Amino acid sequence: RRIMKAKVDPDLCIGCNICIDVVPKVFEMQDDKAIVIVDIVPEECESDCKDAADQCPTAAIEIES
Ligand code: F3S
């Protein structure tokens, strides 16, 4: 199966916290910016990760799969 990776662009993230609320297994807040805490997005989090990327107000989340 294809693996999924996620990235947050720190220049775009405004720390709105949506991604952490939606997928706390993948995103964490560090110094007012979201960071990705997994190397590979767990399969059960893939759809939530896409939702978080769609909902991010500044499109700071990049999903690679
Ligand atoms: Fe930042 Fe977007 Fe998450 S602004 S905190 S990456 S939803």
Side-chain angles (χ1 to χ4, degrees):
R1 95 183 166 89
R2 299 180 79 108
I3 57 159
M4 179 186 282
K5 293 189 172 204
K7 268 198 294 196
V8 173
D9 184 336
D11 293 331
L12 293 177
C13 176
I14 54 167
C16 79
N17 222 68
I18 289 174
C19 57
I20 289 119
D21 280 344
V22 174
V23 221
K25 278 186 185 162
V26 172
F27 300 98
E28 206 172 88
M29 196 59 77
Q30 187 179 80
D31 301 330
D32 297 331
K33 305 271 181 187
I35 56 161
V36 175
I37 54 171
V38 292
D39 191 32
I40 291 163
V41 174
E43 195 170 4
E44 74 273 15
C45 297
E46 288 187 350
S47 127
D48 283 345
C49 249
K50 284 185 205 156
D51 287 348
D54 287 343
Q55 288 175 44
C56 175
T58 59
I61 300 169
E62 196 187 309
I63 301 283
E64 220 181 85
S65 63

